Amino acid sequence: MKALVLDDSMNLQIKECEKPIVKPNEVLIKVKASAINHRELWIQQGLYPGLTLPCILGADGSGIVAKVGEDVDTDWLNEDIIIYPGYDWGENEEYPSRAFRVLGMPDPGTMAEYITVPVKNIVKKPKYLSWAEASAIPVASLTAWRALTRHGKIKPGDNILITGIGGGVAQAGLALALAFKANVYVTSSSKKKIAFAKTLGAIDGVNYKDEDWNVQLKEMSKGIDIVLDSSPSSILDDYFKFMNYGGRIVTYGSTGSRKTTINISKFFLRHIQFIGTAMGSPNEFKALIAFLEDHKIKPLIHEQFYFESGLEAFDALRKGTQIGKIVLVH
Ligand SMILES: NC(=O)c1ccc[n+]([C@@H]2O[C@H](COP(=O)([O-])OP(=O)(O)OC[C@H]3O[C@@H](n4cnc5c(N)ncnc54)[C@H](OP(=O)(O)O)[C@@H]3O)[C@@H](O)[C@H]2O)c1
């Protein structure tokens, strides 16, 4: 079968690989679409922990169950599914086990004609979603879901700031927060992206490159309860200008800067929480898909490429001009 492989010299290429053999409790999926995440760029830059090459990339995918292994209910055969993109979350809903890992390095990923996963890793694809839409959900929407529900404790009327609104998680967070009837503000380096977010339902936004971005945000929002943050400011004190007492900064990425400084006294006197999160549990994934189906929420797709043009799709992500997900149609 053909697969998008990062080889041990860090070259990304489409090459012929062995079709995986389905084991007991597993299903063989014929992949119909896969989506790109920033993670695959970190891996290609050697910046992802536990680099093990060569590897088929891709955490996000949707497809059809082509074969079921021993001990798997044959009702799954020919079912349209979405793949839960992690292994070994463990029993604790609060945080994953040390063995938790995301598909697509070191385990083979979704950017291939076929993938095998344990049957517990699949969820039926809601019919209102296309293959491409379904593949664009797992990593981004699950990360946003856990950040907003478990950590952010989102409720109607909350004021929410979503940073870097061009990103896949940020876009998923916008759709979810609006469904929860929250008031959403955004940051972006692009006026066009802020204007687009407003057409989707955001109230307003500021350019995070403006020196007084936090003052502007305080003026327009009168105070923020939850920050869904892909890129904490290098000076976390920037946030204290607009955070409400008891506010939660939930961070899932470090796109802009890997380090931040903080004025501790402002932090504790305002009862602010700074919370880290990554992806979500299998139970949260099921809850997310049910919520999306109830609200008929579709992920925003920026651009679709045929699988054969996978390398161009990665170039598109590198440019950073996207609003939403970049998808490979297999
Ligand atoms: N923890 C997890 O489970 C998890 C899951 C998914 C992603 N992530 C991480 O989250 C980050 C975003 O990933 P993604 O796939 O959603 O996004 P993405 O599609 O790669 O988009 C990146 C976005 O980041 C924004 N950005 C760039 N520099 C920024 C800065 N200095 N401050 C604020 N925003 C900035 C840009 O927004 P504008 O164009 O609007 O300026 C850009 O659209 C990455 O660091 C990724 O590794 C973590």
Side-chain angles (χ1 to χ4, degrees):
M1 67 167 188
K2 294 248 182 312
L4 213 146
V5 176
L6 187 65
D7 69 20
D8 35 22
S9 315
M10 293 295 241
N11 291 318
L12 188 63
Q13 51 180 307
I14 293 177
K15 58 187 269 191
E16 202 59 41
C17 297
E18 294 264 315
K19 185 174 165 185
I21 294 166
V22 64
K23 300 194 198 77
N25 294 310
E26 283 187 349
V27 287
L28 177 75
I29 311 288
K30 178 159 179 50
V31 182
K32 299 293 284 182
S34 58
I36 307 184
N37 287 289
H38 208 101
R39 177 175 186 268
E40 285 97 38
L41 294 188
W42 295 129
I43 293 172
Q44 288 174 60
Q45 290 162 17
L47 291 174
Y48 204 84
L51 201 63
T52 313
L53 300 175
C55 190
I56 300 173
L57 295 183
D60 281 338
S62 61
I64 301 174
V65 177
K67 200 170 183 180
V68 297
E70 230 176 89
D71 300 329
V72 175
D73 190 336
T74 49
D75 282 357
W76 276 112
L77 208 53
N78 300 319
E79 198 63 66
D80 298 349
I81 57 90
I82 309 181
I83 300 171
Y84 167 71
Y87 292 135
D88 291 335
W89 177 276
E91 299 306 313
N92 193 336
E93 291 295 320
E94 292 301 318
Y95 49 84
S97 76
R98 286 289 181 112
F100 179 68
R101 58 209 187 277
V102 180
L103 263 69
M105 209 292 290
D107 306 277
T110 53
M111 292 173 181
E113 281 180 65
Y114 293 93
I115 181 173
T116 51
V117 293
V119 66
K120 63 183 181 192
N121 274 61
I122 57 175
V123 171
K124 282 186 188 174
K125 176 179 86 64
K127 290 204 182 336
Y128 77 97
L129 294 169
S130 68
W131 290 116
E133 287 162 349
S135 78
I137 286 173
V139 172
S141 296
L142 181 57
T143 303
W145 172 259
R146 178 175 172 87
L148 288 174
T149 58
R150 179 170 300 273
H151 299 304
K153 301 187 172 30
I154 186 171
K155 56 181 190 328
D158 277 347
N159 281 359
I160 304 209
L161 171 66
I162 302 180
T163 64
I165 196 59
V169 182
Q171 277 297 328
L174 174 60
L176 291 172
L178 292 173
F180 276 103
K181 304 201 181 325
N183 309 311
V184 181
Y185 299 85
V186 302
T187 71
S188 177
S189 57
S190 147
K191 263 191 195 159
K192 216 167 118 190
K193 290 188 188 180
I194 294 175
F196 184 65
K198 285 168 77 171
T199 68
L200 297 175
I203 294 176
D204 212 341
V206 298
N207 186 330
Y208 56 76
K209 292 195 168 160
D210 287 353
E211 222 160 272
D212 66 341
W213 71 275
N214 54 348
V215 179
Q216 294 177 39
L217 193 70
K218 169 75 184 183
E219 274 167 14
M220 68 175 58
S221 69
K222 311 292 177 230
I224 294 289
D225 302 298
I226 305 168
V227 186
L228 177 64
D229 201 4
S230 62
S231 183
S233 173
S234 56
I235 308 168
L236 210 62
D237 306 18
D238 285 353
Y239 291 33
F240 300 157
K241 192 70 160 179
F242 56 75
M243 287 305 289
N244 286 333
Y245 274 44
R248 277 95 55 212
I249 302 163
V250 188
T251 186
Y252 61 88
S254 54
T255 305
S257 152
R258 294 204 151 193
K259 291 211 168 150
T260 186
T261 58
I262 184 169
N263 178 330
I264 285 292
S265 58
K266 283 193 182 168
F267 175 67
F268 66 73
L269 287 173
R270 291 168 193 224
H271 295 249
I272 287 168
Q273 296 177 54
F274 186 41
I275 307 166
T277 192
M279 297 257 298
S281 72
N283 287 334
E284 285 171 322
F285 189 63
K286 284 185 196 140
L288 160 72
I289 300 296
F291 184 89
L292 294 176
E293 186 161 20
D294 274 358
H295 292 80
K296 296 288 175 288
I297 297 173
K298 292 183 173 191
L300 188 70
I301 294 180
H302 177 74
E303 199 170 1
Q304 299 187 36
F305 291 81
Y306 284 113
F307 175 74
E308 293 70 20
S309 309
L311 301 187
E312 285 170 43
F314 276 94
D315 289 341
L317 187 73
R318 272 185 212 102
K319 276 193 213 142
T321 51
Q322 74 278 9
I323 311 181
K325 301 291 293 178
I326 294 173
V327 171
L328 304 183
V329 179
H330 294 222

